[in-house]
Amino acid sequence: MTQYLLVIDEGTTSTRAMLFSPEGHPVASAQHGLTQHYPAPGWVEHDAGEIWDWTLAAVREVVAKAGGADHIAAIGITNQRETMVAWDRETGEPLGNAIVWQDRRTSDRCAELKDAGHEPSIQSKTGLLLDPYFSASKMEWMLKNRPEVRDAGNRLAFGTIDSWLVWKLTGGAAHTTDASNASRTMLMALDGESWDEELCGLFAIDSATLPTIVDCTGEIGRTDPALFGCAIPICGSAGDQQAATIGQGCLAEGETKATFGTGAFILTNSADRPLHSANRLLTTVLCQQAGKRSYALEGSVFVAGSLFQWLRDSIGLIISAPESELLARSVPDNGGVYMVPALTGLGAPHWRADARALVCGMSFATSKAHIVRAALEAQSYQAHDLMEAFEADGVRWAKLRIDGGMAANNWLAQDLADMLGLPVERPALVETTALGAAMLAAVGSGIYPDLQAAAEAMRGEVTHFEPVMSTDERERRLAGWKDALAKV
Ligand code: ADP
């Protein structure tokens, strides 16, 4: 009987269930979009009940395609990180909407803590910066502003999305979170086995309301038999960017992946050393197995693929994101046009929330192809700036493994290789986040002895892009980008 791996990939805009063969081939999938709630400017919420309903529906669809729950060897979970859910342990109901990672409502509170001098110690403990992005200030906000959360007493449970799903899947039997997700809450020290009481104190959070921190591989719990016909072991869990790093096979020190989706996230494996950045990169737990952690250095760019959605939907310059490739190829160069896509400020390594976008260098000779090409080139420049920040922190990339929706753009893949001066590799299966979760579940359920073996068996073919641009040309373009950036 074929035994499949079932992955729950709970993203920001949709929830998906995917079935993989033990050789890493995607066999079936089901996907449901999620309602985005914007109750106030800068606020982003999800209904955790809807997330659970769609997860249950998607898992049931692929369990049926597998021929029943007894055909599933194990479940792996990967999720949007930092998003925080509060629920009632007795009723199993969420206590208000989940506060999503993008939500900025705690900006003032984070600024206040920063002004009070808390950032250096938080950064050295957790590897994170004092920013609303992370979960702790979201929990604090719920406790302060939602009576139902404040008054829930010992019925209150907090958790990121992985935690919420495990709790629901196990019928309330397990309240856990894996170490990669825990490292994004700002309540766990990078080398701490459990929650950091000092940090919990700072945000007035009772650690008894938090999940138990567990490994990313190994049995976390079993699904309630009433859900899918029989119990399925949950054997792998990691946050989406960590899962993509594993799915890209970045298992050795220095190996680096870049996911170009809505935003761009670049992570370099730093093995068992949590590197502390002097360049505003984040340090994060990559994976925990048998209590042993590996770490990654992370740089996030806020605007990547969303730039092409904006050029399509709001500006009308392109009719589809893939058209950007044809337009970029239709002109010999950028014609002196540069775009700084700071539509929601600039992320790493600049962290300038106040920056706004700019297009410069236009003349009557400028066509829309030049502007679209400048938008694609901006992706390479942003990756280049991150590469410099990583280098300043002592981390050199030997090559870059790319994935995400934008990685399908061949022109961009080549331009990245040229501007970074590095080989770029793209796997045939760009669903690396789901593949990473499948690899974790495969190891956690004993199908493979370790992640290395899982990567060898489950990762498919890759396409290579080699740098061919002259140094002069590269430097000329980088100088143009630096001028544009200075104007922002
Ligand atoms: P996410 O997982 O963040 O939702 P995806 O990895 O699915 O995002 O990537 C979708 C994004 O990639 C969209 O913002 C889209 O504009 C962009 N995109 C998709 N194909 C291309 C392409 N060929 N060229 C440029 N951008 C693209």
Side-chain angles (χ1 to χ4, degrees):
M1 184 168 72
T2 316
Q3 289 279 303
Y4 298 107
L5 294 156
L6 191 157
V7 168
I8 298 171
D9 180 358
E10 203 296 306
T12 309
T13 56
S14 74
T15 292
R16 254 179 349 154
M18 274 183 93
L19 211 55
F20 285 90
S21 72
E23 295 76 37
H25 302 304
V27 177
S29 72
Q31 184 164 10
H32 297 282
L34 275 183
T35 315
Q36 310 291 316
H37 300 270
Y38 304 106
W43 293 28
V44 189
E45 296 182 352
H46 284 162
D47 173 355
E50 185 195 12
I51 291 178
W52 168 240
D53 290 345
W54 284 134
T55 301
L56 191 57
V59 172
R60 283 188 170 142
E61 281 167 63
V62 298
V63 164
K65 288 178 189 168
D70 53 345
H71 289 255
I72 313 286
I75 290 177
I77 297 175
T78 182
N79 57 289
Q80 51 165 319
R81 305 175 299 174
E82 299 101 8
T83 298
M84 186 44 59
V85 187
W87 69 92
D88 183 320
R89 293 178 202 270
E90 268 169 31
T91 64
E93 291 300 318
L95 297 166
N97 277 343
I99 302 184
V100 176
W101 59 274
Q102 295 152 315
D103 192 290
R104 311 299 295 173
R105 79 184 65 183
T106 58
S107 295
D108 289 348
R109 174 62 176 146
C110 290
E112 185 185 304
L113 288 166
K114 211 166 154 178
D115 291 346
H118 289 289
E119 190 168 74
S121 69
I122 288 183
Q123 194 189 7
S124 85
K125 249 188 198 178
T126 67
L128 309 176
L129 299 168
L130 252 176
D131 191 274
Y133 182 17
F134 307 105
S135 319
S137 66
K138 301 181 197 294
M139 282 183 249
E140 182 189 49
W141 188 92
M142 287 189 193
L143 284 163
K144 274 191 191 153
N145 296 283
R146 288 187 185 155
E148 68 274 32
V149 174
R150 194 172 48 237
D151 301 338
N154 56 15
R155 299 194 324 273
L156 174 63
F158 274 124
T160 40
I161 298 290
D162 58 306
S163 189
W164 166 242
L165 292 181
V166 166
W167 198 83
K168 293 299 269 184
L169 286 164
T170 60
H175 184 208
T176 60
T177 187
D178 73 80
S180 78
N181 272 297
S183 78
R184 312 297 292 191
T185 58
M186 200 174 269
L187 296 178
M188 185 192 80
L190 284 163
D191 58 357
E193 263 173 54
S194 186
W195 303 106
D196 186 284
E197 287 300 340
E198 206 182 332
L199 290 171
C200 288
L202 182 65
F203 292 96
I205 293 155
D206 176 358
S207 59
T209 60
L210 300 173
T212 305
I213 302 168
V214 299
D215 283 349
C216 297
T217 57
E219 190 170 310
I220 294 167
R222 290 184 162 250
T223 61
D224 179 346
L227 294 175
F228 311 115
C230 67
I232 310 171
I234 304 166
C235 294
S237 174
D240 53 9
Q241 298 308 321
Q242 285 93 334
T245 308
I246 291 162
Q248 281 275 26
C250 296
L251 303 175
E253 186 165 1
E255 290 180 333
T256 304
K257 74 89 200 178
T259 300
F260 290 92
T262 307
F265 296 87
I266 305 190
L267 275 80
T268 299
N269 185 323
S270 69
D272 54 2
R273 292 186 305 147
L275 296 178
H276 289 284
S277 175
N279 294 281
R280 304 189 76 70
L281 299 173
L282 306 174
T283 313
T284 206
V285 171
L286 174 58
C287 192
Q288 178 178 311
Q289 293 182 276
K292 234 181 129 275
R293 286 183 187 161
S294 60
Y295 299 91
L297 201 59
E298 173 173 331
S300 350
V301 168
F302 297 145
V303 177
S306 53
L307 181 61
F308 296 86
Q309 280 167 285
W310 176 75
L311 287 174
R312 183 192 64 196
D313 303 337
S314 301
I315 309 296
L317 217 53
I318 50 176
I319 47 169
S320 71
E323 193 201 354
S324 62
E325 177 166 351
L326 299 176
L327 286 168
R329 286 188 196 285
S330 73
V331 283
D333 55 34
N334 63 18
V337 179
Y338 290 87
M339 184 186 293
V340 183
L343 296 159
T344 56
L346 287 169
H350 314 286
W351 293 100
R352 290 292 302 265
D354 53 339
R356 285 300 170 263
L358 154 136
V359 184
C360 64
M362 290 183 288
S363 71
F364 280 122
T366 301
S367 70
K368 80 171 176 183
H370 292 113
I371 297 172
V372 171
R373 182 161 168 147
L376 278 177
E377 287 185 353
Q379 311 306 317
S380 307
Y381 302 137
Q382 296 190 103
H384 173 272
D385 290 355
L386 279 180
M387 180 173 78
E388 284 190 334
F390 275 75
E391 278 177 8
D393 278 336
V395 175
R396 264 183 197 285
W397 304 342
K399 67 177 173 190
L400 189 67
R401 304 178 188 193
I402 60 167
D403 55 70
M406 282 193 90
N409 190 311
N410 289 310
W411 188 89
L412 175 62
Q414 183 58 49
D415 198 56
L416 278 166
D418 287 336
M419 293 315 297
L420 300 176
L422 291 177
V424 164
E425 243 180 53
R426 181 182 66 199
L429 177 77
V430 288
E431 305 290 357
T432 53
T433 306
L435 182 65
M439 284 166 56
L440 290 167
V443 173
S445 60
I447 294 176
Y448 298 110
D450 52 37
L451 286 171
Q452 202 61 48
E456 275 161 29
M458 298 175 75
R459 291 188 69 238
E461 293 297 302
V462 294
T463 307
H464 300 270
F465 299 86
E466 294 295 332
V468 292
M469 187 179 280
S470 71
T471 312
D472 281 358
E473 168 70 355
R474 184 166 172 256
E475 277 170 7
R476 193 188 56 73
R477 274 184 49 191
L478 285 172
W481 164 252
K482 289 215 168 85
D483 281 350
L485 203 56
K487 293 190 175 81
V488 168

